[in-house]
Amino acid sequence: MASNGTPDGKVVHAENGHHETRDNATSTPHKMSVGKYIATRFSTLKPPMLSAPNPIRLLRLLNGKQWLFFLCGFIAWTWDAFDFFTVSLTVAQLAEQFDKTTTQITWGITLVLMMRSVGSITFGLAADRYGRKWPFIVNNFLFIVLELGTGFCNTYKQFLACRALFGIAMGGLYGNAAATALEDCPEEARGLISGMLQQGYAFGYLLATAFARGLVDTTSHGWRPLFWFGACPPVLIIIFRLCLPETDAYRARQAVRNEKGNIGKTFIAEGKVALKKHWLLLIYLVLLMAGFNFMSHGSQDLYPTMLKNQYNFSPNAVTVTQVVANLGAMTGGTVIGYSSQIFGRRFSIIFISILGGALLYPYTFTSSKAVIAAAFFEQFCVQGAWGVIPIHLMELSPGSFRTFVVGTSYQLGNLASSASSTIEATIGAQFPLPPKVSGGKPIKRYKYGLVMCIFMGCVFAYVILLTFIGPEYLKRSFDIENDEDLAAAAGQDAIENARRRNERPYGTEKDAESDEKVTS
């Protein structure tokens, strides 16, 4: 697997069934037995209690270029979420337009979730091989085309085709956005910036909700203006990204590949090393992300239905509760992301998951408007754990394949959890309540709160267990000098030559090459 920082500065490292320790992030690893690795799961969980600097000071550590990289990744991730929620917020209108049931329309959502893994693999490998910039731009160009295309759909088949292709584009963005925002981020500020980045998803939902109220069914075009509008901001995001260079971390890695002469061959060699050393880690990350995605979808997707069906909330009351819950999510992600830099990634996730589990009863069994408070704090916990994830995945991922590993583990986990709301709804149907009458027609009611509470209790337990047994690499260096995989694939000499060439003043390369020839 990867590595786990210990309170005494050591790092536990597990690879391909072999387990190792390091005295720090750059020293030579020492193998340890499986039994000893298991024993370290307790000792390494102890919070390192690193210094807790003023968050404002942490934000000031980022220079102008690093802030631009973060903003570019955050805005793109926010609008990615906005475009995703355009369908879930217009299900009724789409069902009427295409003369289909609500279940048939939600296949448009399911297709997006299913196809996201294809996008994460395709665009992830492209970003690791060719750079973050152009795959990012292609991604956003596809958003423009497919959101416009969805807005002009006239048949159900056209709608499904557009959403399936949109899933590929959406799947390709997360890993790239995380790499763009965090790769060059100062080590001290990583936890805080990670939490801020992840909450772009909740912010995107809030924006989608607000614009849906203003654009859907307010003109003669019905639901279509929301999708047309959704295609506009990616134009600005593309222009923004065109104005920025590649990240420093990627440029340093590309310089090493250039030293070897055959970039493609070196990239393939890096892939072989990564697969050989980290296959167990990749499986672990997918399992972990499946738990995290079950945690978010299981606590969110059916919740509006529960409020409306079981507790008879009005549409406005449901909207207010959802907005407050997302404000809690944004707050929690930022706070716990920051805290993980002090207490460690694993400890922060486990602590906030235990707290989230304790809040499940008021979150699912409060029938009055007081549930708003429970919704705020439950989503504070759920998205608080999520706030640690971008940097946790970045630190665990092989350096040469950060975009691919971060994006693919996230999206495969999403695929595994895509049926969470269906599972909850199906089980909920086994616990009926007395029906209510609306418009002279009886409406079936179910104990969705009971099912969600039990389901989420199991999910929290799963996440706690997976996080406990897994590795951690707090404070990991992203520099090529400390990348053992790159050294194994390209050679230490190539890394040293690339580093010296990057440090050499402009215009001295030819002189240096001549000196090398004379020396030889």
Side-chain angles (χ1 to χ4, degrees):
M1 289 185 183
S3 307
N4 188 33
T6 64
D8 59 0
K10 291 187 176 181
V11 177
V12 176
H13 194 68
E15 296 286 3
N16 200 17
H18 301 290
H19 305 274
E20 307 164 337
T21 58
R22 304 169 185 259
D23 292 327
N24 52 55
T26 61
S27 64
T28 303
H30 310 287
K31 290 184 179 179
M32 62 163 35
S33 66
V34 173
K36 190 173 181 181
Y37 173 80
I38 294 174
T40 62
R41 296 307 83 208
F42 288 96
S43 61
T44 57
L45 195 61
K46 182 179 178 181
M49 301 304 290
L50 301 176
S51 60
N54 187 320
I56 303 301
R57 187 184 75 78
L58 292 180
L59 296 178
R60 292 175 64 183
L61 290 176
L62 277 70
N63 60 34
K65 185 170 72 171
Q66 290 164 346
W67 267 118
L68 291 174
F69 278 139
F70 167 75
L71 289 173
C72 189
F74 176 82
I75 293 170
W77 179 229
T78 296
W79 212 254
D80 189 11
F82 178 99
D83 288 342
F84 174 72
F85 285 116
T86 51
V87 170
S88 60
L89 292 170
T90 55
V91 168
Q93 292 84 355
L94 290 166
E96 182 180 354
Q97 173 74 44
F98 300 125
D99 193 25
K100 299 293 181 180
T101 64
T102 297
T103 302
Q104 288 173 309
I105 293 300
T106 57
W107 265 104
I109 301 174
T110 304
L111 278 174
V112 170
L113 295 174
M114 292 172 64
M115 298 301 290
R116 277 160 69 164
S117 300
V118 177
S120 67
I121 294 171
T122 304
F123 285 96
L125 290 174
D128 286 325
R129 167 61 180 85
Y130 299 105
R132 317 307 190 204
K133 185 173 185 174
W134 291 106
F136 184 96
I137 289 170
V138 172
N139 237 177
N140 281 277
F141 177 75
L142 289 177
F143 286 151
I144 297 170
V145 173
L146 295 170
E147 279 293 279
L148 281 176
T150 304
F152 284 105
C153 285
N154 291 313
T155 67
Y156 179 62
K157 289 183 178 179
Q158 290 174 352
F159 168 74
L160 290 182
C162 279
R163 298 320 289 176
L165 293 174
F166 176 81
I168 297 176
M170 185 178 185
L173 187 74
Y174 182 76
N176 199 325
T180 300
L182 296 172
E183 234 174 9
D184 291 349
C185 181
E187 183 274 322
E188 278 188 89
R190 285 180 189 170
L192 177 59
I193 297 300
S194 170
M196 292 168 61
L197 172 68
Q198 182 62 34
Q199 299 325 305
Y201 194 76
F203 187 48
Y205 174 82
L206 290 179
L207 289 178
T209 301
F211 281 102
R213 294 295 291 265
L215 295 174
V216 176
D217 290 338
T218 57
T219 71
S220 59
H221 299 291
W223 54 271
R224 299 180 189 272
L226 182 63
F227 291 85
W228 294 337
F229 174 74
C232 297
V235 176
L236 301 177
I237 295 172
I238 288 174
I239 295 173
F240 188 4
R241 189 64 184 93
L242 282 171
C243 295
L244 297 176
E246 288 290 354
T247 63
D248 292 342
Y250 174 79
R251 291 165 70 180
R253 194 168 297 277
Q254 192 71 350
V256 175
R257 294 169 182 165
N258 286 331
E259 286 293 326
K260 293 295 290 182
N262 190 325
I263 296 176
K265 186 177 180 180
T266 305
F267 181 72
I268 292 173
E270 292 172 58
K272 291 179 179 178
V273 171
L275 186 61
K276 181 179 179 180
K277 294 182 66 177
H278 303 292
W279 63 270
L280 187 58
L281 169 67
L282 299 179
I283 294 174
Y284 167 77
L285 290 180
V286 172
L287 294 175
L288 179 67
M289 295 316 299
F292 266 83
N293 279 289
F294 268 116
M295 188 165 64
S296 57
H297 288 294
S299 66
Q300 295 168 358
D301 292 358
L302 200 66
Y303 198 66
T305 302
M306 182 201 78
L307 294 176
K308 186 177 180 180
N309 179 275
Q310 182 174 348
Y311 297 128
N312 300 314
F313 275 42
S314 67
N316 281 339
V318 171
T319 299
V320 170
T321 304
Q322 288 291 89
V323 169
V324 171
N326 275 271
L327 291 174
M330 294 170 67
T331 306
T334 304
V335 171
I336 304 304
Y338 166 74
S339 300
S340 73
Q341 199 73 20
I342 304 166
F343 303 109
R345 315 297 186 207
R346 290 167 61 235
F347 180 86
S348 298
I349 292 171
I350 290 173
F351 173 81
I352 203 65
S353 295
I354 292 173
L355 187 59
L359 290 170
L360 280 175
Y361 183 83
Y363 182 64
T364 55
F365 281 87
T366 302
S367 58
S368 68
K369 299 296 174 61
V371 76
I372 290 178
F376 178 92
F377 287 108
E378 183 64 35
Q379 288 307 312
F380 179 99
C381 295
V382 171
Q383 292 304 316
W386 265 103
V388 184
I389 284 300
I391 192 58
H392 191 42
L393 295 183
M394 288 281 289
E395 290 173 336
L396 291 178
S397 299
S400 297
F401 292 90
R402 284 192 195 112
T403 305
F404 168 75
V405 172
V406 172
T408 301
S409 60
Y410 171 77
Q411 301 301 356
L412 286 176
N414 226 326
L415 176 63
S417 68
S418 60
S420 58
S421 58
T422 303
I423 294 171
E424 289 177 330
T426 302
I427 298 175
Q430 306 303 312
F431 299 93
L433 287 168
K436 65 179 179 180
V437 178
S438 178
K441 297 181 180 180
I443 298 177
K444 295 180 179 179
R445 297 170 63 236
Y446 303 102
K447 294 181 180 179
Y448 290 127
L450 173 65
V451 176
M452 285 183 64
C453 188
I454 296 173
F455 182 82
M456 284 300 300
C458 296
V459 170
F460 274 123
Y462 173 86
V463 169
I464 291 169
L465 176 63
L466 262 287
T467 304
F468 173 76
I469 65 175
E472 180 179 341
Y473 211 156
L474 181 66
K475 300 172 72 71
R476 180 180 189 174
S477 172
F478 292 161
D479 296 337
I480 57 172
E481 291 85 354
N482 301 318
D483 192 330
E484 296 172 358
D485 294 351
L486 185 61
Q492 192 63 42
D493 289 342
I495 294 176
E496 289 299 321
N497 290 338
R499 183 180 60 81
R500 284 196 297 267
R501 201 178 292 273
N502 287 338
E503 293 174 351
R504 192 173 296 146
Y506 180 78
T508 63
E509 287 85 351
K510 291 184 179 179
D511 293 338
E513 289 173 3
S514 298
D515 291 342
E516 290 174 3
K517 290 179 180 178
V518 171
T519 303
S520 62

